Amino acid sequence: EIVLTQSPGTLSLSPGERATLSCRASQSVSSNYLAWYQQKPGQAPRLLIYGASTRATGVPDGISGSGSGTDFTLTISRLEPEDFAVYYCQQYGGSSPITFGQGTRLEIK
Amino acid sequence: EVQLVESGGGLVQPGESLRLSCAASGFTFSSYEMSWVRQAPGKGLEWVSFITSGGRTIYYADSVKGRFTISRDNARNSLYLQMNGLRAEDTAVYYCARCPWSYRAMDVWGRGTTVTVSS
């Protein structure tokens, strides 16, 4: 099973700042099948990024994904109030094919 | 509108069974892989099970293997999760999610159904 470790656990920033979230895999992620989700309280997750860097439908271009192999990053270029939420990475591959990271909480400073 | 609606959650005692359903609409259900994902209270997301579009390939998380069974009825546009031998640690909101094969990710989610296992 591929273990995903997200850092930091909590990120405290102000609106207008840049957010950089990390996701590290215990082994190489097959074909960069790495996705990012946003989840707000009481809501289902929302797909942001798939294939490590492809934005899902409707996701603004201020949100971007990068990385390959074992190290991946989600960047929000300029934080809006609606961006404060919990973010999860997810990979597909390996013996237990789908795993999620433990999440990063992005909170208002 | 593309939509997934889960049902079947509830309060059960340890060892009992429950069957969750997920009704799909607004897209060609038979063309998509599907997954169940759960979230325990105050915790992160945990993938539970995955099924290919035709139902021939199925995967389970180790935590539910041998107790849960995923299935689908493409004629009824429905996904199911049969949960047997429920434990307290199965308490969670259960989401069904659409998984386009080219994405290897989940692009449409239901609102979830709550399962509580308690004596």
Side-chain angles (χ1 to χ4, degrees):
Chain A
E1 174 182 318
I2 296 177
V3 177
L4 299 179
T5 302
Q6 293 187 239
S7 61
T10 301
L11 184 58
S12 299
L13 294 171
S14 301
E17 290 193 294
R18 180 184 184 90
T20 302
L21 287 66
S22 174
C23 177
R24 177 162 289 179
S26 60
Q27 54 188 284
S28 185
V29 175
S30 171
S31 302
N32 289 338
Y33 289 137
L34 192 287
W36 290 93
Y37 301 86
Q38 176 194 68
Q39 188 179 33
K40 298 180 180 179
Q43 296 184 16
R46 172 196 178 198
L47 177 66
L48 298 176
I49 300 286
Y50 63 94
S53 61
T54 303
R55 273 186 293 274
T57 303
V59 174
D61 57 11
I63 294 176
S64 62
S66 62
S68 63
T70 60
D71 289 297
F72 299 88
T73 300
L74 179 73
T75 301
I76 306 174
S77 60
R78 186 177 172 83
L79 286 167
E80 301 287 345
E82 60 267 24
D83 295 327
F84 292 92
V86 179
Y87 292 81
Y88 296 93
C89 57
Q90 170 252 310
Q91 68 83 34
Y92 181 96
S95 58
S96 185
I98 299 173
T99 53
F100 287 92
Q102 84 280 16
T104 289
R105 180 178 304 277
L106 178 56
E107 64 177 26
I108 299 177
K109 187 173 182 179
Chain B
E1 179 192 4
V2 173
Q3 196 170 12
L4 298 170
V5 179
E6 303 92 338
S7 60
L11 173 63
V12 296
Q13 295 192 344
E16 293 188 338
S17 298
L18 210 53
R19 189 193 195 208
L20 305 184
S21 299
C22 172
S25 59
F27 66 98
T28 306
F29 179 72
S30 60
S31 296
Y32 287 87
E33 285 63 43
M34 300 292 294
S35 273
W36 287 99
V37 176
R38 67 185 181 183
Q39 187 168 36
K43 303 297 184 182
L45 301 173
E46 180 188 15
W47 167 73
V48 173
S49 186
F50 170 93
I51 186 169
T52 52
S53 57
R56 291 189 177 185
T57 300
I58 286 172
Y59 300 112
Y60 296 100
D62 288 343
S63 58
V64 306
K65 202 172 292 183
R67 300 187 299 124
F68 289 12
T69 302
I70 191 172
S71 63
R72 64 191 297 160
D73 184 339
N74 286 342
R76 295 178 182 271
N77 293 330
S78 293
L79 178 72
Y80 306 102
L81 187 67
Q82 177 67 43
M83 305 185 296
N84 298 331
L86 283 162
R87 306 167 179 167
E89 53 266 35
D90 296 318
T91 294
V93 175
Y94 285 73
Y95 297 101
C96 69
R98 188 177 80 169
C99 312
W101 183 245
S102 61
Y103 286 22
R104 305 299 201 278
M106 301 162 209
D107 71 334
V108 178
W109 295 67
R111 300 181 72 172
T113 187
T114 300
V115 173
T116 303
V117 185
S118 174
S119 54

